[in-house]
Amino acid sequence: MQMTFYFSDTAVLLFDFWNVHSPTGMVLSVLVILLLSVLYEAVKMGKAVLLRRALLALPRSLSHEALTEPQEGDSDPAQGRYHRDPWHPPGRWFWFHVGQTLFHVLQVVLGYMVMLAVMSYNAWIFLGAIVGSTLGYFMVYPLLGRG
């Protein structure tokens, strides 16, 4: 296995079935890695938006009662008073935290996939990851202010 960067139209990326052995295959593989890098940046920014929303949804007091009490509109009128069962989901901030956790898992998976593709030491794949990350950040960063 090559341990320095090289320019070539052959590589094995991530899985045995992703065996690139032609210029067309390399162009398509670079595009896939580029898109994975863009998606990584989008997920990273989505996680930041969810964090901001979660912080805004937190009650002013961080006592156990405040966290387990529903926000206005969270109670179910059919059940009457919202019960204080500690296993019951606490409120809106909890669901933001669940969303952040899912985004984090997706971010880790995408990040490791891109990293492992770059570890093929193919310079074209490396450039695709860099360009994808740059484009992703450039396109998605302005959306952070809108979240």
Side-chain angles (χ1 to χ4, degrees):
M1 172 169 240
Q2 186 80 20
M3 294 303 287
T4 58
F5 279 104
Y6 64 98
F7 286 93
S8 174
D9 61 356
T10 62
V12 177
L13 302 172
L14 301 176
F15 306 101
D16 285 336
F17 63 82
W18 195 349
N19 192 350
V20 181
H21 49 78
S22 69
T24 304
M26 183 54 70
V27 168
L28 290 174
S29 296
V30 168
L31 286 175
V32 168
I33 296 302
L34 187 142
L35 291 174
L36 284 175
S37 296
V38 168
L39 185 59
Y40 173 84
E41 292 296 330
V43 167
K44 186 171 74 170
M45 210 53 66
K47 195 169 105 174
V49 168
L50 276 179
L51 174 62
R52 183 183 322 156
R53 289 183 182 172
L55 291 175
L56 291 174
L58 277 174
R60 292 190 187 269
S61 167
L62 292 180
S63 68
H64 178 71
E65 291 78 22
L67 290 174
T68 57
E69 280 296 312
Q71 302 284 332
E72 286 189 29
D74 282 353
S75 64
D76 183 4
Q79 289 182 334
R81 182 89 175 124
Y82 193 81
H83 36 308
R84 294 179 182 244
D85 180 3
W87 296 105
H88 193 277
R92 278 189 0 202
W93 70 271
F94 175 80
W95 296 112
F96 284 123
H97 183 61
V98 168
Q100 281 181 290
T101 302
L102 295 175
F103 267 73
H104 178 74
V105 168
L106 186 57
Q107 180 184 0
V108 167
V109 168
L110 288 170
Y112 276 116
M113 287 179 69
V114 171
M115 178 201 64
L116 289 172
V118 167
M119 287 179 62
S120 71
Y121 290 103
N122 187 299
W124 297 118
I125 298 297
F126 174 71
L127 291 173
I130 297 301
V131 170
S133 183
T134 303
L135 283 175
Y137 185 84
F138 181 77
M139 291 185 321
V140 177
Y141 183 75
L143 300 177
L144 183 61
R146 296 183 189 170

